[in-house]
Structure formats: C-alpha cells, structure tokens
Amino acid sequence: MSGNSLINSQTSPERIVGSEVEEKSEIMFPEGQLQLTNNRVPSQEEISFIQKLISDDMREIEDLNSWIEKRQDNINLSQKAVKDLESTIEGLKAIQSFRNAKLQMYTDTRQKLVSAVELPITSPDHPHLRLDVPNLQEIKSSYQVELDQCQDMVQETKKRLEQGKVWSTTLCQRLIEKRSILEEEIHSMEVLKKSVANLQGVIHRRHQLISVRRRLPDDTLLVIFQMYIWGEMEEIKAHSSEPQSHAVFLLSSICSRWRTLISATSSL
C-alpha cells in the first residue's frame, strides 16, 4: 500500500497517553531517513512530506472502498445464488417424494393386476372343469392391457427418480461451489475492511505527528500553559488545596513533549 512502508514502528508497541501516541515513527524521505519523535517540532519539510503521505493514503482508502462495494455486490449475488439453489433442491426433494409415492402406488396396482391376470380358468380342485365366469378371458385380457400400462408407468417413474437423483447431486455440488465462492468473497471483504482500518490508523498517527499541538514552538506552548494555569486556578481552588500543582499535572499527562517542557520550566 502506498505510504505503509514509509512509516515504521519497530521498537515497541504503541502506548497511548491521553490522545497522544507515544512512539518513535521513522519517516523515510528521498534524501534519507529522519526521526520524528514526540519531543521536537517537525520541520516544514517533514510536515509537507507527511501531508503528501496522508493524501496518498486517503486516495488508497477510496480505492479500497470501491473494491469493498464491488465485493458487496458479488456477495449479494452469491447469497442470492445460494438461496435459489437451496430452494431448488428443496423443491426437487418434494418432487422426488411425490414420485416415490407414485411408484409405490403403481407397484401395488401392478401386483393386484398380476393376481387378476393369473386367475385360473379351471377349478384348482377339478382341473377338468372350467370356471363358469362370463367373459373371463376378455376380462383377463383387459387386465393384461392395464398391467402393461402400469408396468410402463413403473419404469417411467423409476427413470424419473434416477434423473432426479442425478440432478439433485449436480445441484448439491453447485451449492457447495457457490457457498465456497461466498465464503471467499466474505473473507476478501474482511481483508479489505481490515486494510482500510489499518490505513485509517496510519493516517491518524500521521495527523498526530503534524498536529497543531506538536507544531507549536516551545515558547508559544509555555505562554499557553501559563495562561491556562492562571486562568484555571480560580475554578480549581474550590476542589484542590494546590490548584497550580493540579493544573500542571493535567498538562503533564497529555504527552511526553509537554511533560518534558513543563519539567524543564521552573516557573511552572
């Protein structure tokens, strides 16, 4: 990322005191490496360079946010695809269940027709005697036609069930692929958001390095400190027996530069 390699804190983790980041930041300039610490005023060259880094980081954040929007669109599409596939699979399961019920019905009907077709023409006890059933042969022939039709329906239903199984397997595989794509898109989105957050942290630290509080010369800060201390003493008197010490303590807790400056100024 632009500028990320230009600010490097390799010594120790950041320690935050008040709103100040207490760390040494190495700023890489074309002319060489310069140290911009909390205990000195940055030069105009350093300020200009850091402002340029901040501008570059802001542009990169805009680019990352654009990619995040595209990722979100992809996530929405993937989520819709997953939902559609899940609905299709559930619908196919219902169809397969219906086909299984039909297959059972056709199988039962076929068994009854088989029994009807196989009715004996003669008496089982007296084979030489024909059963006196009018049009028995015609009836059996009619049952045979129905049996043939039922056999065809059984075979067709089995065929459709097999096709449904193949289609269900294909849909489940597609669902796995779509879910995998969705997970990748979500992970990519999180990485981009983390990159934006990291850049925002870098920008915040760089703003701290060139803040107005840091750029003010020591003599100007001392005048402000004195005005603050004497201006606040009347209000602090009501809550503290040593109003000046209390005000000095508050100022010293802001950052190391203020603390060092106050410690070196006997008049405070």
Side-chain angles (χ1 to χ4, degrees):
M1 295 183 177
S2 65
N4 279 357
S5 60
L6 299 174
I7 182 167
N8 183 20
S9 303
Q10 300 179 346
T11 53
S12 63
E14 298 171 5
R15 294 184 298 107
I16 299 184
V17 180
S19 61
E20 182 66 43
V21 179
E22 293 281 349
E23 63 171 351
K24 290 186 177 182
S25 300
E26 296 180 356
I27 306 299
M28 304 299 295
F29 284 82
E31 294 80 7
Q33 179 175 318
L34 294 177
Q35 289 281 336
L36 184 58
T37 67
N38 290 337
N39 294 319
R40 71 172 176 82
V41 178
S43 68
Q44 187 57 49
E45 179 190 17
E46 291 170 328
I47 292 172
S48 298
F49 189 77
I50 294 174
Q51 286 174 335
K52 181 181 181 302
L53 294 181
I54 291 173
S55 297
D56 292 342
D57 289 336
M58 292 296 293
R59 283 193 294 271
E60 185 160 357
I61 285 178
E62 290 179 1
D63 292 340
L64 288 172
N65 283 330
S66 177
W67 278 105
I68 288 173
E69 290 179 4
K70 293 178 181 178
R71 284 287 182 274
Q72 186 61 60
D73 291 340
N74 291 340
I75 287 172
N76 293 339
L77 290 174
S78 295
Q79 287 175 334
K80 184 179 183 303
V82 166
K83 186 176 180 180
D84 290 345
L85 279 171
E86 289 173 341
S87 298
T88 302
I89 290 172
E90 288 301 315
L92 184 57
K93 286 180 180 178
I95 293 173
Q96 289 291 86
S97 178
F98 176 71
R99 286 171 177 167
N100 278 314
K102 284 179 65 177
L103 179 61
Q104 185 62 48
M105 182 187 69
Y106 291 147
T107 301
D108 293 342
T109 302
R110 180 182 64 180
Q111 186 60 41
K112 292 177 182 178
L113 287 170
V114 168
S115 299
V117 169
E118 292 177 352
L119 282 173
I121 297 177
T122 60
S123 172
D125 298 327
H126 305 283
H128 61 282
L129 296 176
R130 293 178 62 86
L131 293 175
D132 188 15
V133 179
N135 303 321
L136 179 59
Q137 191 61 44
E138 293 180 9
I139 292 173
K140 292 181 68 173
S141 298
S142 175
Y143 283 159
Q144 184 62 53
V145 172
E146 291 185 26
L147 177 60
D148 293 340
Q149 292 175 345
C150 189
Q151 291 275 32
D152 291 341
M153 296 176 76
V154 167
Q155 293 301 318
E156 180 64 22
T157 303
K158 285 183 176 180
K159 179 181 177 181
R160 291 184 179 274
L161 277 169
E162 288 301 317
Q163 291 174 343
K165 288 179 182 179
V166 173
W167 183 230
S168 178
T169 302
T170 301
L171 288 177
C172 288
Q173 184 59 41
R174 289 184 184 176
L175 181 59
I176 292 172
E177 293 172 358
K178 289 295 182 182
R179 282 175 174 169
S180 177
I181 292 173
L182 178 58
E183 290 176 0
E184 290 176 2
E185 292 290 350
I186 292 174
H187 175 70
S188 178
M189 166 87 87
E190 294 303 319
V191 170
L192 288 171
K193 286 183 176 180
K194 185 176 180 180
S195 297
V196 169
N198 289 340
L199 268 178
Q200 288 172 338
V202 171
I203 290 173
H204 174 73
R205 290 193 293 273
R206 288 174 175 166
H207 275 303
Q208 291 290 321
L209 291 175
I210 59 174
S211 65
V212 174
R213 181 182 61 206
R214 186 186 297 274
R215 283 184 283 174
L216 288 175
D218 290 349
D219 54 351
T220 303
L221 275 175
L222 288 174
V223 172
I224 294 174
F225 291 166
Q226 290 172 346
M227 293 176 62
Y228 170 78
I229 291 171
W230 293 108
E232 292 293 317
M233 280 182 64
E234 293 300 322
E235 294 185 14
I236 298 176
K237 279 180 181 178
H239 309 286
S240 175
S241 59
E242 298 181 356
Q244 181 172 348
S245 298
H246 185 78
V248 170
F249 173 78
L250 290 176
L251 291 173
S252 299
S253 65
I254 300 300
C255 66
S256 63
R257 182 190 172 202
W258 288 20
R259 189 160 49 251
T260 301
L261 184 58
I262 290 173
S263 297
T265 305
S266 59
S267 60
L268 297 178

